[in-house]
Amino acid sequence: MLKVRFFASLKDLVGESEMEMQLEQETSVRKIFQQLETRFPEIKKYESILLVAVNMEYADLDSTVTPGDEVCFFPPVSGGTG
Amino acid sequence: MLKVRFFASLKDLVGESEMEMQLEQETSVRKIFQQLETRFPEIKKYESILLVAVNMEYADLDSTVTPGDEVCFFPPVSGGTG
Amino acid sequence: MIRIVESKIDREKIVQSVSTPESGAIATFDGTVRNHSREKPVTHLHYEVFPEMALKELEKIRAEAMQRWPLNGMAIVHRVGRMEIGESSVFIAVSSAHRKDAFEACRFAIDTLKTTVPIWKKEHYQDGEVWIEGYGQ
Amino acid sequence: MIRIVESKIDREKIVQSVSTPESGAIATFDGTVRNHSREKPVTHLHYEVFPEMALKELEKIRAEAMQRWPLNGMAIVHRVGRMEIGESSVFIAVSSAHRKDAFEACRFAIDTLKTTVPIWKKEHYQDGEVWIEGYGQ
């Protein structure tokens, strides 16, 4: 199993803040993203800008995920003001 | 007449914060300073570093003073911290 | 002090947390909610956060700053949830013996926060709302 | 707000004086009394001022900053008289739409103040006292 979380506009697009996905063996973040794309085609437009974190550390689409990991997808951050 | 004021270590050196000096006609700040030097020889060491203000605007030893002006002599400023 | 809070930011308390007898300078940055954005009137803001990771990233910023500059203290507090015009969304305070270091580290902290800390801003207008997503906006 | 004061500086009040609905950034600089100077322990400080001219020079700094950067407000308050370790001798607050301008103007203000505003610091030690005279010290 793999825990997947979404934030901000990506959460709105997916319609939920987290979900579990089947994962039996090591794979790449990209593969996970492609599975999401089949369910949520609109997510494609985020491919070139989205940020990825695996177990709360920044990663990218080529990073490896293994069963039990937590993968987070979110848009570029916009904290603060000024 | 001319009003002359001193601040910080220059005030300590001269022993008072202000004095009046005779002045009948236009002269230079340098001339005033030289008169002070005859009374307070130690003031000489400030010649190259001191700041001068005439009527509360920064001036220098070559500036002109006329009767009724206020001339202030003080060491380089050191306000603030950090 | 590294915090994500939901209530009003207490600037004075944060400044006091970095004040030390060895410090001659405290630089602060206060990010406040503007009444307009890209020529559009803003009614209020809402910030969403990924809390555990945001705290980790804020700690990283402080650790890097403390290593790069001779600082005595750095505090970063980010508020999340709904904020009104004029309220502080983020407050950073940095103390050091000399001002140059405090200024540079303070600016480094806010610049880095805006690209690495997982917090997102949603601007609300009279006629709708928009997620702000982008680098350093 | 441009002030020379003899009592404790109220940071929060000064920050509020520059806060406007158009501002997204407030940068501040707080100059605090250090417990040492040139390797020597300091017990307290004393600041002397040429009040009328100091106010004029502070106003000039603000006028120049408001002209050079798109600011919404700038406040400078300098305290004079006796100050204890950790207390603020000077506090500067600058507000602007964007942080770059607030940071730059704040730094300009403290750097300029230290060379043009007629205020002098006397450091007191266990065994005596010394006028600090020099540029930007």
Side-chain angles (χ1 to χ4, degrees):
Chain A
M1 297 291 279
L2 185 76
K3 188 175 175 186
V4 184
R5 296 170 72 181
F6 306 94
F7 293 93
S9 60
L10 267 165
K11 181 178 69 179
D12 294 351
L13 191 155
V14 169
E16 44 197 324
S17 63
E18 61 180 81
M19 60 175 67
E20 299 220 315
M21 287 173 75
Q22 289 296 337
L23 185 68
E24 315 267 296
Q25 60 187 48
E26 195 174 291
T27 184
S28 69
V29 173
R30 191 180 305 279
K31 282 278 186 337
I32 305 298
F33 187 74
Q34 285 163 350
Q35 285 184 46
L36 289 166
E37 241 184 277
T38 61
R39 285 179 61 188
F40 311 102
E42 274 196 84
I43 212 175
K44 175 99 181 123
K45 70 179 182 208
Y46 281 90
E47 189 173 345
S48 63
I49 57 159
L50 63 68
L51 297 177
V52 177
V54 175
N55 300 330
M56 280 186 253
E57 289 292 341
Y58 278 112
D60 57 48
L61 291 173
D62 296 320
S63 300
T64 300
V65 288
T66 51
D69 281 352
E70 176 187 273
V71 180
C72 300
F73 293 102
F74 45 80
V77 307
S78 57
T81 52
Chain B
M1 296 292 279
L2 185 76
K3 187 175 176 187
V4 185
R5 295 171 74 182
F6 306 94
F7 293 92
S9 60
L10 267 165
K11 181 178 67 178
D12 294 352
L13 191 156
V14 168
E16 43 197 326
S17 62
E18 60 180 83
M19 61 174 65
E20 299 220 313
M21 288 174 75
Q22 289 294 335
L23 185 67
E24 316 267 297
Q25 59 187 49
E26 193 175 292
T27 183
S28 69
V29 174
R30 192 181 304 280
K31 282 278 184 342
I32 305 297
F33 186 76
Q34 284 162 353
Q35 285 184 47
L36 289 166
E37 243 185 274
T38 61
R39 285 177 64 189
F40 312 101
E42 273 194 85
I43 211 174
K44 174 98 181 126
K45 70 178 181 208
Y46 281 90
E47 189 172 344
S48 62
I49 58 158
L50 63 67
L51 297 178
V52 177
V54 176
N55 301 332
M56 279 187 253
E57 289 291 342
Y58 278 110
D60 58 47
L61 290 172
D62 296 320
S63 300
T64 300
V65 288
T66 52
D69 280 352
E70 175 187 272
V71 180
C72 299
F73 293 103
F74 45 80
V77 307
S78 56
T81 53
Chain C
M1 186 191 288
I2 296 290
R3 297 267 164 79
I4 306 282
V5 300
E6 297 194 11
S7 52
K8 213 164 178 320
I9 288 177
D10 183 342
R11 291 184 280 238
E12 185 62 24
K13 201 168 137 192
I14 301 167
V15 169
Q16 282 172 16
S17 80
V18 301
S19 174
T20 72
E22 297 78 26
S23 300
I26 302 176
T28 76
F29 174 76
D30 188 6
T32 53
V33 178
R34 287 203 292 157
N35 63 1
H36 62 285
S37 173
R38 278 147 264 197
E39 272 93 65
K40 213 173 160 168
V42 171
T43 58
H44 64 279
L45 295 186
H46 187 93
Y47 286 85
E48 180 178 324
V49 61
F50 176 0
E52 314 92 298
M53 187 169 165
L55 283 171
K56 275 183 67 170
E57 292 296 323
L58 289 174
E59 283 290 3
K60 276 187 200 168
I61 291 171
R62 177 164 68 176
E64 186 176 344
M66 298 294 285
Q67 196 192 15
R68 280 175 63 175
W69 289 276
L71 308 179
N72 294 326
M74 172 179 274
I76 313 177
V77 177
H78 204 300
R79 182 176 169 190
V80 295
R82 179 180 168 136
M83 261 152 272
E84 310 303 323
I85 305 302
E87 292 192 318
S88 301
S89 64
V90 61
F91 189 82
I92 299 172
V94 185
S95 62
S96 59
H98 302 289
R99 67 189 182 281
K100 184 170 176 290
D101 300 311
F103 272 120
E104 289 179 4
C106 189
R107 199 156 168 184
F108 162 80
I110 182 62
D111 288 350
T112 308
L113 180 153
K114 280 166 165 276
T115 62
T116 67
V117 179
I119 295 178
W120 302 269
K121 171 165 59 184
K122 189 184 256 181
E123 289 180 351
H124 291 256
Y125 320 106
Q126 290 291 357
D127 59 354
E129 55 194 55
V130 167
W131 279 111
I132 304 305
E133 295 167 349
Y135 294 95
Q137 296 193 40
Chain D
M1 186 192 287
I2 295 291
R3 297 268 164 79
I4 307 281
V5 300
E6 297 194 11
S7 52
K8 212 164 179 320
I9 288 178
D10 184 342
R11 290 184 281 237
E12 185 61 23
K13 202 168 136 191
I14 301 167
V15 169
Q16 281 170 16
S17 81
V18 300
S19 175
T20 73
E22 296 79 27
S23 300
I26 302 175
T28 77
F29 175 77
D30 188 8
T32 54
V33 178
R34 286 204 292 158
N35 63 2
H36 61 284
S37 174
R38 279 146 264 202
E39 271 94 66
K40 213 171 160 170
V42 171
T43 58
H44 64 278
L45 295 186
H46 187 93
Y47 286 87
E48 180 177 325
V49 62
F50 177 0
E52 314 93 300
M53 187 171 165
L55 283 172
K56 275 184 66 168
E57 292 296 325
L58 288 175
E59 284 288 4
K60 276 188 200 168
I61 291 171
R62 178 165 66 174
E64 186 176 345
M66 299 292 287
Q67 196 191 15
R68 280 175 63 174
W69 289 275
L71 307 179
N72 294 326
M74 173 179 273
I76 314 178
V77 177
H78 203 300
R79 182 176 168 189
V80 296
R82 177 180 169 137
M83 263 152 271
E84 311 302 323
I85 306 301
E87 291 191 319
S88 300
S89 64
V90 62
F91 189 81
I92 299 171
V94 185
S95 62
S96 59
H98 302 289
R99 67 190 183 280
K100 184 170 177 289
D101 301 311
F103 272 121
E104 287 179 5
C106 189
R107 197 155 170 186
F108 162 80
I110 181 63
D111 288 350
T112 309
L113 180 153
K114 280 168 165 276
T115 61
T116 66
V117 179
I119 294 179
W120 303 269
K121 170 165 61 185
K122 189 184 254 182
E123 289 180 352
H124 291 257
Y125 320 105
Q126 288 294 355
D127 60 353
E129 56 194 54
V130 167
W131 280 111
I132 304 304
E133 295 167 348
Y135 293 96
Q137 296 194 40

